[in-house]
Amino acid sequence: EAHFADGLSDRIADEPQYRLELNASGRANSKTWWEASLRTGQRDWSAESWRNFGTDSAGMDNAAGNGELDIARAVIGYQATDSLKFGLGKQVNPFANTELVFDEDVNPVGLTEEYKLTDSLTLRAGQYYFKSGTDWEGVSQDSEDVYLFAHQLQYDRDCQDGYGKWTFRVANYNFTGEQFIHPDWGVPAGFFNTLDQPADGEVSAFNSQAARSGNYYNNNHRTNESTGYRQLSLLSDFNLANVYVGYHSDEDPTDPWGIKLDYVINNSAWNAEDTGWWFEIYRGSLEKKGDVLYGYQYKRVEADAVLAFLNEDQLRTNVKGSSVFLHTRVQDNMDWFATYFLFEPIESANLDKEGLLRTGLNLKF
């Protein structure tokens, strides 16, 4: 894929990128299955599996390194009864509705339990470990990692005409870990860009005007004398309540359509920047050569609504805006995609909007 400056906003860099993934799966017996995946970008920011290469618009070397294939998923599943199943290992996040709370690249490590109360009602619970990343020099920051205890209730309802289906989800995500320490500087939320790196002892280099600023303190911000430098100490605790409503219609199986509405609020935020929204409408599918899938998304994510490193690819936090997307199956094993993002920061309205065109090919072999 490649990211292109749109010529209409403050984005100036064009970045070619690549992503490699190798998947394998199978069954040990009628009740036990396994899945494994290797993917680029897993050693630092798991939410950013695309890796830069080549040169940027200024002719500088743009290679980000870390192009090696590392473990992205390694999970064993067990179907204990017709209603109860478990998943253990590094796995696809079963709690993700859209990329509002979790980027689709982020696979937590832990245990998932799923129990079907009825044909329409499903209860999930999960206990997970997330690795937040490395410091700016690439050194692992184990003490910065966090844990998640998640619970979700899902209700599915088929429409009377037999063609449409509604999905309702309510969930709670309780994050905990050493990363969550109370800041000792009374600064506004959403004013810290993860890309800004002031020299030791400096705080003036923080960029308060950047779209996608995230909810981190900078790596050189001293929170207190006892903890010293904490690269990713956060501005808030994170105990999220999440509500999702989705509708999918396949009255015409060759041309389905649907809508998604995702809402989250951080009940433990230490400021008022605690809510996020995701609205999406789409049409089409990618089942065979020539199929087209397209749609529109609107997103508004306040600074401490969600953990920024868990949805790094598209949004981070303190950002609002729209995107339109188009996918088409040009061959049985090849899809072409294009997405145009137009975002701006919520708290820094004097900054021009950031436009980004992402396009490329997905090839499966």
Side-chain angles (χ1 to χ4, degrees):
E1 73 162 19
H3 293 176
F4 296 99
D6 61 354
L8 302 175
S9 66
D10 65 332
R11 184 177 179 85
I12 60 173
D14 298 334
E15 297 177 335
Q17 296 187 316
Y18 70 95
R19 164 179 160 158
L20 300 176
E21 184 172 353
L22 178 63
N23 301 312
S25 61
R27 303 194 70 90
N29 52 52
S30 60
K31 291 188 174 183
T32 308
W33 55 269
W34 60 270
E35 181 181 357
S37 175
L38 300 176
R39 191 170 61 208
T40 50
Q42 298 305 294
R43 293 187 186 178
D44 43 21
W45 300 103
S46 59
E48 292 187 333
S49 59
W50 293 91
R51 312 309 301 167
N52 293 346
F53 69 94
T55 57
D56 61 18
S57 58
M60 302 296 291
D61 186 7
N62 200 26
N66 193 20
E68 302 90 350
L69 290 169
D70 290 297
I71 296 176
R73 290 193 303 277
V75 58
I76 296 176
Y78 180 68
Q79 188 79 44
T81 68
D82 291 341
S83 301
L84 179 64
K85 66 180 180 180
F86 300 91
L88 177 65
K90 189 173 178 62
Q91 56 195 282
V92 172
N93 195 326
F95 296 91
N97 310 307
T98 65
E99 290 189 283
L100 175 65
V101 179
F102 298 104
D103 187 279
E104 64 180 11
D105 286 339
V106 177
N107 298 321
V109 177
L111 177 65
T112 299
E113 307 90 30
E114 181 173 299
Y115 184 72
K116 287 190 70 66
L117 300 171
T118 67
D119 289 341
S120 301
L121 204 59
T122 303
L123 181 65
R124 295 185 185 90
Q127 304 82 43
Y128 303 116
Y129 159 82
F130 287 94
K131 182 168 180 57
S132 62
T134 61
D135 66 13
W136 298 111
E137 288 76 33
V139 179
S140 177
Q141 297 289 304
D142 292 337
S143 63
E144 309 292 350
D145 302 335
V146 298
Y147 298 88
L148 167 64
F149 300 91
H151 305 85
Q152 186 180 79
L153 185 65
Q154 176 175 324
Y155 176 68
D156 299 302
R157 181 178 178 84
D158 294 326
C159 295
Q160 293 182 352
D161 59 14
Y163 296 112
K165 180 179 180 179
W166 288 92
T167 299
F168 304 89
R169 287 181 168 186
V170 291
N172 170 256
Y173 310 107
N174 185 17
F175 294 90
T176 183
E178 290 187 36
Q179 196 172 44
F180 300 93
I181 53 179
H182 212 298
D184 65 344
W185 288 19
V187 293
F191 272 37
F192 297 93
N193 189 321
T194 60
L195 301 180
D196 291 330
Q197 305 171 44
D200 290 352
E202 293 183 3
V203 295
S204 58
F206 287 123
N207 185 349
S208 63
Q209 302 296 312
R212 309 185 185 194
S213 61
N215 46 30
Y216 302 134
Y217 271 106
N218 190 277
N219 61 318
N220 285 327
H221 178 74
R222 186 178 294 277
T223 55
N224 57 56
E225 292 300 323
S226 61
T227 58
Y229 293 103
R230 291 297 184 95
Q231 180 237 351
L232 295 179
S233 54
L234 300 177
L235 294 173
S236 285
D237 279 331
F238 287 82
N239 190 339
L240 311 182
N242 180 222
V243 178
Y244 169 80
V245 179
Y247 174 75
H248 180 82
S249 173
D250 56 359
E251 182 174 2
D252 181 355
T254 64
D255 191 24
W257 67 276
I259 57 174
K260 300 177 182 179
L261 181 62
D262 211 358
Y263 171 77
V264 67
I265 182 169
N266 180 10
N267 294 308
S268 295
W270 298 332
N271 53 73
E273 305 299 319
D274 58 1
T275 59
W277 291 90
W278 178 297
F279 170 77
E280 178 178 337
I281 184 168
Y282 63 90
R283 187 167 186 172
S285 64
L286 296 175
E287 300 295 332
K288 63 183 186 303
K289 181 179 177 180
D291 283 355
V292 175
L293 171 65
Y294 60 94
Y296 166 81
Q297 299 169 342
Y298 177 79
K299 309 141 191 181
R300 187 181 192 277
V301 187
E302 294 179 343
D304 279 5
V306 299
L307 274 163
F309 75 81
L310 294 183
N311 63 358
E312 186 89 7
D313 182 53
Q314 285 202 18
L315 290 179
R316 300 182 190 171
T317 63
N318 186 35
V319 69
K320 61 183 178 181
S322 300
S323 63
V324 290
F325 60 90
L326 173 67
H327 300 239
T328 183
R329 181 142 293 177
V330 295
Q331 297 291 340
D332 291 338
N333 66 337
M334 182 185 296
D335 296 335
W336 172 77
F337 63 89
T339 305
Y340 179 69
F341 304 89
L342 189 60
F343 292 143
E344 62 182 331
I346 294 174
E347 292 193 5
S348 302
N350 58 322
L351 180 70
D352 290 339
K353 294 181 178 180
E354 179 181 1
L356 168 65
L357 174 64
R358 170 185 290 173
T359 185
L361 293 171
N362 281 331
L363 173 64
K364 297 181 180 181
F365 59 93

